[in-house]
């Protein structure tokens, strides 16, 4: 065996050539050789690429929606924290008023100042935490979007290469090189000289169209 595999496709099944004896794979036609060298199921590959593209698109949309909902929840966080702090503060004020009927004006003012300071600090801390969370979520969202874009680009390139490979295996390419395909009236391929003689009337299919042909004479066998 050679260090580099060799595929032969001379096409003369009756002849025994030296390359058929030393090749890794001996094929009957160039098309057969191409299929043996590139074992690719084009239909399955195209279907798999379609499924992968749909999964990627759904995953990206789901991730973006989840991030948006999470950001919306964080945006509502400061208002809820502010309401909780106000509720606690009001409860404290009511308890102080109930327990000290003769509360002094100075003490009430002091308590109100303390409450305002506590509320402001709580609000600032809540806003800082929310801003930090929003910044982190934006950073993670950017990373996710860039990763999705790179993966989408890779998949598009793989799809393009698969399309090129599919085009290389298209039978129309063989017709474009000057070959013709013999068919019966119902469109079935004529695969032998005997079948052509039996059909008498055949259609020759070229790359740019079909023409009718009539078969005359006996079958001449190759020596």
């Amino acid at each position: 065996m050679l260090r580099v595999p060799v595929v032969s496709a001379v096409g003369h099944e009756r002849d025994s050539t030296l390359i058929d004896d030393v090749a890794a794979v001996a094929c009957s036609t160039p098309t057969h050789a191409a299929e043996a060298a590139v074992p690719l199921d084009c239909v399955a590959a195209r279907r798999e690429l379609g499924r992968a593209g749909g999964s990627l698109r759904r995953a990206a949309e789901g991730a973006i929606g989840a991030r948006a909902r999470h950001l919306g929840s964080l945006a509502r966080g400061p208002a809820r924290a502010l309401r909780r702090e106000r509720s606690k503060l009001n409860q404290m004020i009511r308890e102080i008023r109930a327990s000290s009927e003769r509360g002094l004006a100075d003490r009430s003012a002091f308590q109100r100042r303390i409450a305002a300071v506590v509320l402001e600090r709580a609000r600032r801390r809540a806003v800082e935490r929310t801003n930090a969370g929003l910044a982190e979520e934006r950073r993670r969202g950017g990373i996710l979007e860039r990763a999705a874009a790179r993966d989408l680009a890779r998949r598009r390139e793989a799809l393009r290469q698969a399309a090129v490979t599919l085009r290389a295996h298209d039978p129309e390419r063989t017709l474009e090189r000057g070959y013709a395909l013999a068919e019966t009236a119902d469109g079935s391929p004529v695969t032998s000289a005997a079948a052509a003689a039996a059909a008498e009337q055949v259609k020759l299919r070229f790359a740019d169209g079909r023409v009718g042909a009539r078969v005359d004479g006996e079958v001449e066998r190759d020596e």
Side-chain angles (χ1 to χ4, degrees):
M1 296 296 292
L2 299 176
R3 303 181 69 182
V4 177
V6 175
V7 179
S8 68
V10 176
H12 298 282
E13 297 182 354
R14 287 182 167 274
D15 298 336
S16 177
T17 60
L18 293 178
I19 190 172
D20 290 336
D21 295 333
V22 300
V25 177
C27 301
S28 59
T29 63
T31 301
H32 183 198
E35 292 176 351
V38 184
L40 175 65
D41 188 347
C42 298
V43 175
R46 187 184 297 108
R47 186 165 51 250
E48 181 63 23
L49 287 174
R51 285 198 298 268
S55 299
L56 178 61
R57 182 171 54 256
R58 290 191 295 272
E61 292 174 353
I64 292 173
R67 294 300 182 187
R69 291 191 294 272
H70 185 60
L71 290 175
S73 177
L74 290 177
R76 294 189 295 271
R80 290 196 295 267
L82 185 59
R83 287 194 296 270
R84 286 196 300 269
E85 294 298 333
R86 284 178 176 174
S87 177
K88 292 179 182 179
L89 179 59
N90 292 332
Q91 182 64 27
M92 291 174 60
I93 293 174
R94 287 193 295 269
E95 292 176 356
I96 291 173
R97 287 178 178 176
S99 63
S100 56
E101 295 178 357
R102 299 185 307 273
L104 300 175
D106 292 342
R107 184 174 179 84
S108 296
F110 177 75
Q111 291 293 338
R112 284 194 295 270
R113 289 193 300 271
I114 292 297
V117 171
V118 171
L119 183 60
E120 180 63 20
R121 289 179 179 177
R123 186 189 66 81
R124 289 179 180 177
R125 287 196 297 269
V127 170
E128 291 174 357
R129 287 195 298 269
T130 301
N131 291 336
L134 289 173
E136 179 63 21
E137 290 302 324
R138 291 193 189 98
R139 186 185 67 81
R140 292 179 180 177
I143 293 174
L144 180 61
E145 290 178 358
R146 290 191 294 273
R150 289 193 298 269
D151 189 57
L152 181 60
R154 287 194 298 269
R155 290 180 182 273
R156 283 177 176 172
E157 178 61 21
L159 181 60
R160 187 190 66 78
Q161 294 179 0
V164 172
T165 304
L166 179 62
R167 176 62 178 164
H169 289 78
D170 191 351
E172 295 293 337
R173 295 292 296 274
T174 302
L175 299 179
E176 292 173 359
R177 292 197 297 269
Y179 290 89
L181 176 63
E183 299 176 341
T184 60
D186 59 359
S188 300
V190 178
T191 59
S192 65
E200 294 184 354
Q201 294 290 336
V202 298
K203 291 183 178 180
L204 297 180
R205 178 183 174 187
F206 296 90
D208 58 348
R210 294 177 172 85
V211 295
R214 187 167 58 86
V215 180
D216 293 332
E218 300 293 335
V219 177
E220 296 180 2
R221 300 294 182 179
D222 293 335
E223 296 298 334

